[in-house]
Amino acid sequence: MIRQPSAEEGGTRHMPHAANVEQGGRLKIHSLAAGAGDDFADDVRRGLGSARKALAPKYFYDELGSHLFDAICLLPEYYLTRAEAEIFACHAGEVVEEARRGAERVTLVELGSGSASKTRRIIEALLERQKHLTYVPVDISPAALEASAHALLGDYEPLRVSAYAADYDTALPRLSSELEDGARALVLFLGSNIGNFDRAEARDFLRRLRGVLRAGDRLLLGADLKKDGAVLEAAYDDALGVTAAFNLNLLARINRELRADFNLRDFRHLALYNDTEGRVEMHLESRRAQTVRLDALDLEVHFGEGERVHTENSYKYSLEELSALAAATGFSRARTWLDAAERFSSNLFVATDA
Ligand code: AVI
């Protein structure tokens, strides 16, 4: 998952590109991250000023939001993380065999690597088959990248890490310089992150990714499957209220960073499955008519009773839609693994000839 840098991680704007080399030359960190400060203010002004109020889900992930997301992944209702971990526990060897087919070596890239906990199974399976491995994680949070890179290097001696603290748009054009001749790329895009793009954005993103890959390179894409709406709504509206807190934290973040006076108790979390669009929508609904002041923006925003702020879409896929997505973006869906309950899919896309 792509996360925003927290205040502690620095509000530095447009950090110049710098590559720090550490850990006996085994770790390189490329800092390409731009601070989110003004973008956040501009996006909040635009989002709350539009006729259909909306806020971008990337802003969930400040420090508290990132912890709340980690807690969501432990919830009984949020099956996605466990299902993907189960697939890797059962099939990492096969995934890696398929990814390596016909290649001597693999370079592993991960988009939105976060804590990289599920990646360990893939790294281990690769290191059983090749002596050395270059791992190229990309995440917006320098702190998360550094922590996960140090942990992985401590645990896997033959590993070399070239990490990019950057958003996807900034990192994608840099990736080609990491793809060595003679080594196939295996790109991980896990955890249903693709679901937070709408369908056109998903196609656009995968086309841009395909543009930096070579024919035969692989993408392992985690995608949540379409299923009963009640199961999906429970996954995004858990009984403990953790997802509600995750959603409401967006207003708390606006209070903290933009000196606003949202009363969180005056809003409620909603998670609705939109069957026509095949997506779970999250909203924050105003419980009463109210006006909120955002001092840092010198802005007042009025909310009618029952008015909603749309905060996230999580698109769900059928296997046919995944094949069509692959075909439309320069890949073919070569293999798919499902968890035992068939709720989640890990899909090996192969980059086809241009
Ligand atoms: C990060 N992303 C894939 C999660 C999802 O399922 O869309 C974010 C999330 N939102 C609510 N719960 C989890």
Side-chain angles (χ1 to χ4, degrees):
M1 167 204 41
I2 278 268
R3 295 147 349 122
Q4 292 301 115
S6 64
E8 295 77 66
E9 286 160 3
T12 331
R13 294 213 21 93
H14 305 296
M15 262 192 271
H17 175 214
N20 285 333
V21 182
E22 297 175 30
Q23 205 130 355
R26 291 167 61 218
L27 171 62
K28 224 189 262 175
I29 300 191
H30 310 262
S31 298
L32 311 177
D38 290 351
D39 291 348
F40 182 50
D42 292 346
D43 289 350
V44 168
R45 183 188 292 282
R46 205 171 308 116
L48 295 184
S50 64
R52 289 169 156 244
K53 293 184 174 63
L55 293 167
K58 65 180 178 182
Y59 294 120
F60 284 137
Y61 304 97
D62 66 352
E63 195 183 10
L64 178 56
S66 296
H67 285 300
L68 288 168
F69 180 71
D70 289 344
I72 286 174
C73 294
L74 301 174
L75 292 169
E77 295 94 334
Y78 193 77
Y79 57 85
L80 290 79
T81 313
R82 267 188 312 284
E84 193 174 45
E86 177 196 317
I87 293 170
F88 288 1
C90 298
H91 302 294
E94 258 176 73
V95 170
V96 158
E97 283 295 318
E98 286 289 336
R100 281 171 48 90
R101 190 182 294 272
E104 290 271 289
R105 269 180 318 122
V106 163
T107 297
L108 185 66
V109 176
E110 182 165 10
L111 301 173
S113 53
S115 64
S117 46
K118 279 173 289 186
T119 317
R120 286 171 173 262
R121 296 263 185 194
I122 302 291
I123 289 175
E124 285 165 18
L126 283 167
L127 286 176
E128 281 166 20
R129 292 161 175 85
Q130 62 187 58
K131 275 204 179 108
H132 299 281
L133 176 66
T134 301
Y135 174 53
V136 185
V138 176
D139 201 285
I140 195 76
S141 164
L145 262 183
E146 249 179 85
S148 64
H150 283 296
L152 290 172
L153 288 168
D155 291 344
Y156 305 106
E157 221 271 316
L159 198 66
R160 175 186 158 267
V161 177
S162 184
Y164 285 78
D167 59 30
Y168 300 142
D169 289 341
T170 313
L172 275 186
R174 311 294 295 246
L175 288 182
S176 43
S177 67
E178 296 288 345
L179 308 182
E180 309 153 67
D181 290 342
R184 172 173 293 156
L186 168 60
V187 179
L188 307 179
F189 194 40
L190 306 180
S192 184
N193 282 329
I194 190 79
N196 297 132
F197 291 132
D198 71 28
R199 304 215 185 256
E201 288 166 347
R203 282 194 295 275
D204 177 61
F205 177 70
L206 292 192
R207 276 188 198 123
R208 281 186 292 129
L209 173 62
R210 173 66 189 87
V212 301
L213 299 179
R214 303 146 308 180
D217 283 339
R218 295 346 193 204
L219 164 67
L220 187 67
L221 180 73
D224 195 19
L225 296 175
K226 285 184 167 168
K227 58 183 65 67
D228 182 45
V231 174
L232 286 167
E233 287 182 356
Y236 290 81
D237 191 10
D238 58 283
L240 264 178
V242 181
T243 313
F246 175 70
N247 200 5
L248 284 161
N249 179 53
L250 205 40
L251 303 184
R253 180 174 181 182
I254 297 173
N255 282 349
R256 285 191 294 270
E257 295 184 24
L258 301 177
R259 287 180 284 119
D261 62 0
F262 277 103
N263 182 346
L264 304 195
R265 295 185 195 282
D266 283 339
F267 287 83
R268 73 183 178 110
H269 163 71
L270 286 180
L272 307 166
Y273 185 56
N274 179 333
D275 205 10
T276 317
E277 298 288 345
R279 68 187 191 206
V280 177
E281 297 176 4
M282 295 210 313
H283 299 264
L284 291 163
E285 186 178 272
S286 178
R287 293 179 189 272
R288 60 180 183 83
Q290 54 183 313
T291 298
V292 174
R293 172 138 191 97
L294 292 82
D295 274 343
L297 301 185
D298 194 19
L299 180 71
E300 286 195 341
V301 182
H302 180 74
F303 294 86
E305 183 180 344
E307 188 177 354
R308 292 175 185 175
V309 183
H310 191 164
T311 52
E312 187 183 59
N313 290 317
S314 288
Y315 282 82
K316 308 301 165 185
Y317 284 86
S318 66
L319 295 180
E320 295 70 34
E321 285 169 336
L322 288 164
S323 296
L325 178 63
T329 56
F331 293 95
S332 72
R333 179 167 70 90
R335 277 288 295 270
T336 291
W337 294 266
L338 305 180
D339 61 309
E342 302 192 349
R343 291 177 168 191
F344 193 87
S345 65
S346 294
N347 303 278
L348 193 72
F349 283 14
V350 177
T352 50
D353 290 315

